[in-house]
Amino acid sequence: MDDIDADSLKGAAEHLIETLQDPAVIILGSCPGEGKVSLVAAFTPTVVDLGIQAGKFISPIAKLCGGGGGGRPNFAQAGGWKPENLPNALGKAKEDLVSLVSEKAS
């Protein structure tokens, strides 16, 4: 989501996680300005009950974008300074989530 500030990204994630059926995971990223990256992770209760926490999950994804972050088990925000790495970071987030959910659910 290009040019979306961190607050709007947070609002979008909160809306989506409330709208979707449990289990659901939302990972959103944007480049709100020159040299900036914003990331948000929102997890429903079933995902958190599997032992997958948004705060712990988003930190290594943000590191790929030259930053860091954290938060609660169900919601986290992060930032970085390498917007050119955002597509790869979001791809890694998807791969990691599919792997984690598959592993924990079995």
Side-chain angles (χ1 to χ4, degrees), residues 7 17 19 31-33 39 41 43 48 55 69 83 95:
D7 287 338
I17 208 69
T19 304
C31 299
L39 293 160
F43 296 174
V48 174
E95 288 175 21

Side-chain angles (χ1 to χ4, degrees), residues 2 34 57 63 70 72 77-78 83 85-86 91 97 99 103:
D2 291 334
E34 188 68 32
F57 181 82
K63 284 181 184 177
R72 301 181 313 268
Q77 290 183 274
N85 293 352
L86 182 58
L97 280 169
S99 176
E103 174 186 310

Side-chain angles (χ1 to χ4, degrees), residues 29-49:
S30 72
C31 299
E34 188 68 32
K36 293 183 181 179
V37 174
S38 292
L39 293 160
V40 174
F43 296 174
T44 58
T46 299
V47 176
V48 174
D49 288 346

Side-chain angles (χ1 to χ4, degrees), residues 5 9 37 53 68 82 100:
D5 63 71
L9 201 65
V37 174
Q53 297 186 13
K82 295 181 180 177
L100 279 169

Side-chain angles (χ1 to χ4, degrees), residues 12-22 24 26 44:
E14 288 172 338
H15 174 74
L16 287 169
I17 208 69
E18 290 171 4
T19 304
L20 296 172
Q21 287 186 317
D22 191 13
I26 304 296
T44 58

Side-chain angles (χ1 to χ4, degrees), residues 64-98:
L64 296 173
C65 294
R72 301 181 313 268
N74 66 321
F75 193 88
Q77 290 183 274
W81 300 272
K82 295 181 180 177
E84 65 275 11
N85 293 352
L86 182 58
N88 289 337
L90 291 173
K92 174 100 170 94
K94 181 179 178 179
E95 288 175 21
D96 290 355
L97 280 169
V98 168

